[in-house]
Amino acid sequence: MSHSLPNPPSPLTHFDAQGQAHMVDVGAKASTHRMAVATGRIQMLPGTLALVQAGTAKKGDVLGIARIAGIQGAKRTADLIPLCHPLALTRVAVEFEVLSEGPIPTIVCNATAETVGPTGVEMEALTAVQVALLTIYDMCKAADRGMTITDVKLLEKQGGKSGHWVAP
């Protein structure tokens, strides 16, 4: 007869001692200023980038609409990611940099999310980037279905118990 030992605590906070998914209890955590910056890029054909820069894409101002979509995405993160807490965001900024030189035309998206609360905003920043880039894809797909979204990652986070973190 074998005796089983209790499951060791998981380093993944969204699983309880029995390995079941749960929403992390942040009720006892201090409310502090939290900030996160994420980035990502979309690569496209030169002609597609020219449409974006000229503002003549079939559906209108691509980057302006993508910026608003990214902000909306950050605000809807808890609706999209099952175990995220709904947050009262104090700031969301979405910025684009067009890299037209080089072998593959690219638009880089950076998103910053901020709140004052008991949990961080990394997921909101990452969601803002993804939704903004998906919006660019949606608005330009008639001209270029081969666009590639790549390199989405967290660049920096501040606040909370783990403090300040910057991507290596």
Side-chain angles (χ1 to χ4, degrees):
M1 177 182 233
S2 66
H3 295 280
S4 63
L5 298 172
N7 292 334
S10 172
L12 302 175
T13 58
H14 286 98
F15 294 97
D16 64 18
Q18 291 73 42
Q20 301 297 313
H22 72 108
M23 186 180 241
V24 176
D25 182 358
V26 297
K29 292 172 73 177
S31 284
T32 61
H33 177 256
R34 316 284 184 133
M35 184 277 303
V37 180
T39 191
R41 54 185 55 223
I42 187 166
Q43 299 171 326
M44 60 192 62
L45 296 171
T48 308
L49 185 62
L51 290 173
V52 171
Q53 290 179 301
T56 57
K58 203 172 198 178
K59 296 184 179 181
D61 175 13
V62 173
L63 297 184
I65 293 169
R67 178 175 291 106
I68 297 300
I71 293 167
Q72 284 184 314
K75 291 166 46 176
R76 301 287 305 267
T77 299
D79 293 333
L80 299 168
I81 311 297
L83 301 177
C84 281
H85 292 83
L87 301 181
L89 294 169
T90 57
R91 177 174 176 256
V92 177
V94 177
E95 299 170 353
F96 299 101
E97 180 183 3
V98 175
L99 306 176
S100 55
E101 302 301 318
I104 303 172
T106 301
I107 299 173
V108 177
C109 176
N110 289 323
T112 303
E114 295 186 48
T115 192
V116 175
T119 191
V121 288
E122 298 92 36
M123 294 305 300
E124 286 72 14
L126 287 162
T127 301
V129 167
Q130 290 280 39
V131 171
L133 294 174
L134 285 168
T135 299
I136 293 170
Y137 185 95
D138 177 55
M139 294 186 71
C140 297
K141 69 182 181 278
D144 182 0
R145 293 195 189 276
M147 291 175 284
T148 303
I149 295 172
T150 186
D151 298 330
V152 175
K153 62 183 178 181
L154 186 67
L155 292 177
E156 179 180 7
K157 61 90 49 197
Q158 292 180 14
K161 186 171 64 174
S162 60
H164 190 192
W165 178 86
V166 177

